[in-house]
Amino acid sequence: MKAFAYVTARTPESAVELVADRGRFIAGGIDLLGEMKEHIAEPATLVNVKRLPGIREIAPGDTRWSIGAGVTLTALTEHKELRQVFPALAEAAELVGSPQMRNVATIGGNLAQHSRCWYYRHRDVHCLKKGGKRCFARGGENKFHSLFTKCQCLSPCVSNLAVALTVLDASVVVQRGRKPVTLPLAALYDLALTSARVHNSLKPDDLILRIELPVVAGRRSTYLQLSEKNDFDWALVSCAAAGRIENGLLRDARVALGCIAPVPWQTKEADACLERHPPTDATAAAAAEHLLLDASPLEHNAYKLPIARTLVRRAVARLAET
Ligand SMILES: Cc1cc2nc3c(=O)[nH]c(=O)nc-3n(C[C@H](O)[C@H](O)[C@H](O)COP(=O)(O)OP(=O)(O)OC[C@H]3O[C@@H](n4cnc5c(N)ncnc54)[C@H](O)[C@@H]3O)c2cc1C
Ligand code: SF4
């Protein structure tokens, strides 16, 4: 690891200024220190953002909750009221990695975590994401990669929380320069669909301040995933769903899949398939087909298709029973 300066920012404006000169924000350090030890990232300055005012606060509200970017995943899982109002978020957080990791990893760092592609994570492999000329996963080892292969980079978004927050209609407040701007969750990732160089839409000095969640009376939500290991592992595929049940029909229905595309994968057609329909297995299966319509698996990842279909059916079944 190369030598670096370490500073603690006290205001969002100073954090942004401090990071400008080849710096990186650091929260729990789970992802960033891994990148540094592997010589993928060599920042001149680490800007600690865990002491910023309000960054570790969960603020409930009647119409909207606000969750500071520095709130740990353990704090999310242990907040009883949050679990009642946004079960998908608590369930997504408690399935991340291991208890030790969840004690330090933050919601902001989880959303901004970088690619887990094993070619990207290899110091000596210069793929498209690092400015190289080719994607080594396309004809190589692509077991964990995207099912939507029209994008140049096949590395999927693997953040559990991104998938849960997608169906909860969350937005992210980002300090951009001297101003805070609010982005819908989808806008936090959409650049990764068109640019192989990035893993999300954040600029290097964009600082996530907080996540905002609207309160929808009577809304149920859930998060499910399948991994190779029970602990200390990312999902192979994940799924979150949300909606109200009114007169036996789903309303404000949302469903999203994770680990199969560079963004949390959601389509209007799949949501429309659930909307004003009973939460039956047939409805869920139809929504899954809509989500996977344009999927074109690679040599080693077609196994993700039946997992995705099953997770969507189970998630909708859980909305019906909760
Ligand atoms: C073995 C293992 C298993 C894992 N399993 C899972 C899993 O199952 N599901 C899952 O979702 N994740 C998983 N992870 C990833 C882990 O959850 C993330 O690495 C962690 O949440 C990152 O949070 P952090 O606070 O430690 O971020 P850091 O490592 O401090 O930062 C991560 C990135 O975000 C940037 N950043 C941090 N805070 C901000 C901010 N406020 N604004 C803008 N940028 C910011 C940093 O500059 C860095 O680029 C796993 C990781 C490991 C090592
Ligand atoms: S999937 Fe993306 S990160 Fe992985 S080798 Fe291809 S371009 Fe690089």
Side-chain angles (χ1 to χ4, degrees):
M1 201 191 272
K2 280 204 174 161
F4 54 87
Y6 183 90
V7 288
T8 295
R10 303 289 172 175
T11 65
E13 292 81 4
S14 67
V16 168
E17 268 173 39
L18 287 162
V19 98
D21 185 23
R22 293 197 304 118
R24 291 280 291 269
F25 300 122
I26 184 161
I30 299 284
D31 190 47
L32 183 56
L33 293 179
E35 281 198 299
M36 290 168 68
K37 286 180 197 161
E38 288 156 17
H39 297 275
I40 295 163
E42 293 185 331
T45 311
L46 288 189
V47 180
N48 170 21
V49 292
K50 294 190 299 288
R51 298 278 179 85
L52 293 173
I55 201 111
R56 287 168 175 260
E57 278 173 19
I58 301 180
D62 292 341
T63 56
R64 179 167 294 272
W65 281 49
S66 168
I67 300 175
V71 168
T72 65
L73 305 189
T74 296
L76 291 178
T77 64
E78 288 180 349
H79 198 290
K80 288 200 178 91
E81 197 187 347
L82 182 143
R83 188 177 284 275
Q84 278 169 1
V85 183
F86 308 111
L89 183 56
E91 290 164 10
E94 74 194 350
L95 288 172
V96 169
S98 66
Q100 292 84 351
M101 280 178 41
R102 295 192 292 272
N103 286 342
V104 290
T106 63
I107 184 166
N110 185 274
L111 293 176
Q113 65 178 289
H114 216 298
S115 165
R116 295 308 309 182
C117 172
W118 36 35
Y119 296 107
Y120 169 80
R121 291 273 162 176
H122 195 294
R123 176 180 72 172
D124 301 326
V125 177
H126 198 58
C127 70
L128 282 176
K129 207 167 227 16
K130 294 180 190 155
K133 289 205 165 54
R134 58 180 280 224
C135 168
F136 293 89
R138 198 165 285 275
E141 295 295 333
N142 45 45
K143 172 180 174 183
F144 297 122
H145 289 74
S146 295
L147 288 175
F148 294 88
T149 49
K150 283 187 185 152
C151 310
Q152 286 184 306
C153 169
L154 303 172
S155 179
C157 172
V158 295
S159 159
N160 290 17
L161 303 195
V163 182
L165 290 170
T166 295
V167 300
L168 295 170
D169 298 327
S171 46
V172 180
V173 180
V174 170
Q175 182 79 24
R176 185 166 278 172
R178 302 201 70 80
K179 277 197 299 195
V181 294
T182 302
L183 306 174
L185 211 279
L188 189 66
Y189 294 102
D190 56 9
L191 198 57
L193 282 170
T194 50
S195 169
R197 289 304 301 272
V198 301
H199 204 57
N200 55 50
S201 314
L202 291 171
K203 297 178 183 159
D205 59 351
D206 276 354
L207 171 69
I208 304 175
L209 296 174
R210 60 185 180 274
I211 290 80
E212 293 190 339
L213 291 148
V215 175
V216 178
R219 179 167 64 184
R220 306 166 178 196
S221 66
T222 189
Y223 172 91
L224 294 163
Q225 68 177 49
L226 189 87
S227 313
E228 286 184 323
K229 294 184 283 178
N230 275 344
D231 262 329
F232 214 62
D233 201 6
W234 287 264
L236 297 168
V237 183
S238 61
C239 176
R244 295 180 291 119
I245 310 262
E246 204 178 274
N247 299 324
L249 305 181
L250 275 167
R251 301 299 304 273
D252 301 324
R254 311 270 188 271
V255 61
L257 288 165
C259 307
I260 63 158
V263 298
W265 191 251
Q266 186 183 36
T267 67
K268 284 193 183 121
E269 292 77 13
D271 289 350
C273 206
L274 298 173
E275 187 66 27
R276 293 176 191 265
H277 284 83
T280 59
D281 195 49
T283 309
E289 291 315 313
H290 276 289
L291 277 169
L292 297 169
L293 202 60
D294 294 325
S296 51
L298 299 155
E299 188 180 353
H300 303 294
N301 71 358
Y303 75 93
K304 289 192 177 193
L305 286 168
I307 297 176
R309 290 189 182 102
T310 304
L311 289 180
V312 172
R313 288 166 56 198
R314 286 188 188 166
V316 172
R318 269 169 73 160
L319 290 185
E321 67 194 36
T322 46

